Amino acid sequence: MNASRCFRVSTTLSFFCFAVLAGSPALVRAQPDAPDAKPNIVYILADDLGYGDVSALNPRNKIKTPQMDKLAAESMTFAEAHASSAVCTPSRYSILTGRYNWRSAMKEGVLGGFSKPLIEPGRMTVATLLSGHGYDTACIGKWHLGMGWTRVATAEKSADDEGGSESGGRAGIDFTKNIKRGPTTVGFKYFFGISASLDMPPYAFIENDHVTALPTIPMGRLTGADGKQTRPGPQVPGFEGADVLPTLTAKAVEYIARHSGSGAAKTPFFLYLALPAPHTPLSPTKEWLGKSGLNAYADYVMETDDCIGKVLAALKKNNAERDTLVIMTSDNGCSPAADFPFLLAHGHDPSAGRRGYKADIYDGGHRIPLLVRWPGHVAAGSTCDSFVCLGDFMATCAELLNAKLPDDAGEDSISFLPGLLNKTKTTARQVLVESSINGSFGLREGQWKLALCPDSGGWSFPRPGKDNTDGWPRFQLFDVSSDPAEKTNVMSQHPEIVQRLGHLIRDYINNGRSTPGAPQKNTPVKAWQQTKWVEEFDPPHGGHAE
């Protein structure tokens, strides 16, 4: 695959601009003319949905997804879209801030339901950017970026209290008190949803800055359709996993109806709809259980598809379809909880031929579906196989508003608006930095992918700390143009490529950014990452290293 081209159905469509930063490939934050009208923006983020789970993207798909297929026919499809991370919290940080997640305090893992806020005070988010330009902003769904819960003074701390752990945490929370730092403090005017993944307590809905009912069951659990139980923790009586996806969908439909009034004074809206599915617990409703003929995961994908269809139908019903930019994607690759062996045995591959799955540095961990629809502006049925990162949403919104991002915002974000509007002839994102659940780095440039670890960095073989890699090369270099499944490590044949890409990520770290602009304060990477590979490359020069 040539990663530098975008294709319309029958004519070439390419995009973006190219520049050089600190002697490395980077992107110009050009400000081409954007459309005069401000469109509504609906950003639909599925949870753990694989690229291969969408029928329109995977000819061998065995799961029916008619709503996403219809959306794909009306959209531009990105064949090389990637999350910045192979797991939830880091990916969401990147989406909302336009900054690589490893620049934050989180170097590995994910947050839990009681973790402290990850987005730094004062940091610009997509929501603050859009609200500053007259948008009504709403977050509905799974937050998973930490919240400022009021803690009982005598409560025992757990790993989850400090973040960086998937453990459920202990109660220790005064649920009668308002949440001090949640979505409504980082630019969203309205929030309704859950604090983290559906398999993490508290099992309660939150509206704006308070729970809608007190979780009085201290050690509650949810049970998936596969019989697996979630982490124990505070639960609201009657709170069931199967009710969450329909409830959030109904809230999104209500929001669209409420904000799609006619008239010249109509305020544009931004709806960030972060669905909790098809993440565990696999919780399809009775209506959908068994419909796929495969397993509970496939059933949940089908219900997720139907919910996406209801949101799109609400736009049409309220005459907002043509005025709305719709982005549909996923936060990372499919989880092994989907039961890959079973699905593969039945002819379905959620990773669509790419290696690995959620948590991995391999493409199955972070390559995701990305569909973008904007009637009258984006060519229906078009496809692009150039790089795009979910963190590029920030710069895309800025360009849509003809706004220039300050140097301390969106440091790794590159607008893909020119490509959507067919305004440029060359690609912009030449380089993509990826990370796995244990904090391992990957770097993609053109045909080359360098993984700065000897293993998956995640949950597939070879697993870090579990599968013996003694004597293996320290890094992995793949030529993904001829080896998209990342089977053959060609590091020894191309040491110059390893050095060049290693220098590039070193510069990105030291400069505190990967786009043009003033260097920013660098948040150091983990100590083990430094000792593991940085010494392989020349000593840092220039930049803003600490």
Side-chain angles (χ1 to χ4, degrees), residues 325-367:
L325 170 65
V326 173
I327 298 175
M328 197 294 296
T329 188
S330 179
D331 60 348
N332 46 247
C334 179
S335 167
D339 195 346
F340 268 67
F342 175 88
L343 292 173
L344 290 171
H346 287 77
H348 180 74
D349 181 3
S351 297
R354 301 297 177 94
R355 183 175 179 178
Y357 37 66
K358 175 182 177 177
D360 293 346
I361 200 64
Y362 303 125
D363 268 14
H366 45 77
R367 181 183 182 230

Side-chain angles (χ1 to χ4, degrees), residues 437-504:
I437 193 170
N438 81 338
S440 292
F441 285 124
L443 194 73
R444 177 77 182 273
E445 182 190 43
Q447 73 192 79
W448 301 109
K449 176 174 176 179
L450 176 65
L452 293 164
C453 55
D455 45 47
S456 70
W459 297 338
S460 74
F461 178 85
R463 299 164 297 173
K466 294 184 178 180
D467 296 312
N468 187 2
T469 57
D470 292 347
W472 293 26
R474 297 179 67 189
F475 311 141
Q476 301 168 83
L477 181 68
F478 302 106
D479 181 348
V480 293
S481 61
S482 60
D483 181 24
E486 301 172 79
K487 293 181 179 179
T488 305
N489 185 354
V490 296
M491 173 185 164
S492 61
Q493 294 98 300
H494 300 281
E496 76 288 354
I497 301 295
V498 174
Q499 284 293 313
R500 181 169 58 77
L501 296 181
H503 292 162
L504 186 56

Side-chain angles (χ1 to χ4, degrees), residues 155-505:
E156 182 182 359
K157 285 188 176 181
S158 71
D160 183 71
D161 293 328
E162 299 303 323
S165 169
E166 289 191 70
S167 64
R170 299 175 175 86
I173 304 294
D174 185 345
F175 291 103
T176 67
K177 300 293 177 58
N178 288 353
I179 297 166
K180 296 184 178 67
R181 286 177 59 196
T184 57
T185 65
V186 293
F188 290 104
K189 183 177 178 181
Y190 177 74
F191 171 68
F192 184 93
I194 54 180
S195 67
S197 297
L198 188 53
D199 60 356
M200 296 176 175
Y203 302 115
F205 284 118
I206 301 166
E207 187 165 29
N208 293 325
D209 60 356
H210 58 274
V211 294
T212 60
L214 293 178
T216 55
I217 302 172
M219 296 296 282
R221 284 181 183 266
L222 303 181
T223 303
D226 55 1
K228 295 181 180 178
Q229 288 192 312
T230 61
R231 302 164 178 85
Q235 180 178 359
V236 171
F239 186 96
E240 298 290 342
D243 297 334
V244 176
L245 181 59
T247 299
L248 297 176
T249 302
K251 286 287 184 180
V253 168
E254 291 171 9
Y255 178 85
I256 289 170
R258 191 163 63 248
H259 292 272
S260 297
S262 59
K266 183 175 77 70
T267 300
F269 63 84
F270 166 47
L271 171 59
Y272 171 60
L273 176 58
L275 301 175
H279 191 290
T280 54
L282 303 177
S283 301
T285 57
K286 291 181 180 179
E287 176 188 357
W288 289 96
L289 188 60
K291 277 206 170 181
S292 69
L294 291 170
N295 63 5
Y297 173 78
D299 298 338
Y300 212 16
V301 170
M302 290 182 66
E303 183 172 11
T304 301
D305 177 73
D306 184 69
C307 288
I308 291 171
K310 289 177 179 176
V311 173
L312 299 177
L315 290 171
K316 185 172 184 178
K317 179 181 178 180
N318 291 281
N319 299 314
E321 189 175 52
R322 292 197 62 82
D323 299 328
T324 303
L325 170 65
V326 173
I327 298 175
M328 197 294 296
T329 188
S330 179
D331 60 348
N332 46 247
C334 179
S335 167
D339 195 346
F340 268 67
F342 175 88
L343 292 173
L344 290 171
H346 287 77
H348 180 74
D349 181 3
S351 297
R354 301 297 177 94
R355 183 175 179 178
Y357 37 66
K358 175 182 177 177
D360 293 346
I361 200 64
Y362 303 125
D363 268 14
H366 45 77
R367 181 183 182 230
I368 36 82
L370 177 61
L371 310 175
V372 183
R373 185 185 77 180
W374 190 8
H377 299 277
V378 175
S382 56
T383 303
C384 178
D385 64 3
S386 289
F387 291 141
V388 64
C389 177
L390 293 189
D392 294 338
F393 183 45
M394 168 76 89
T396 302
C397 288
E399 190 165 359
L400 184 67
L401 299 169
N402 281 317
K404 184 174 178 359
L405 290 175
D407 284 331
D408 62 351
E411 294 96 322
D412 302 297
S413 189
I414 299 152
S415 174
F416 57 86
L417 184 65
L420 290 174
L421 303 181
N422 191 22
K423 288 193 175 234
T424 58
K425 300 296 182 183
T426 57
T427 59
R429 181 168 282 285
Q430 301 292 309
V431 181
L432 174 67
V433 180
E434 306 152 347
S435 61
S436 70
I437 193 170
N438 81 338
S440 292
F441 285 124
L443 194 73
R444 177 77 182 273
E445 182 190 43
Q447 73 192 79
W448 301 109
K449 176 174 176 179
L450 176 65
L452 293 164
C453 55
D455 45 47
S456 70
W459 297 338
S460 74
F461 178 85
R463 299 164 297 173
K466 294 184 178 180
D467 296 312
N468 187 2
T469 57
D470 292 347
W472 293 26
R474 297 179 67 189
F475 311 141
Q476 301 168 83
L477 181 68
F478 302 106
D479 181 348
V480 293
S481 61
S482 60
D483 181 24
E486 301 172 79
K487 293 181 179 179
T488 305
N489 185 354
V490 296
M491 173 185 164
S492 61
Q493 294 98 300
H494 300 281
E496 76 288 354
I497 301 295
V498 174
Q499 284 293 313
R500 181 169 58 77
L501 296 181
H503 292 162
L504 186 56
I505 193 168

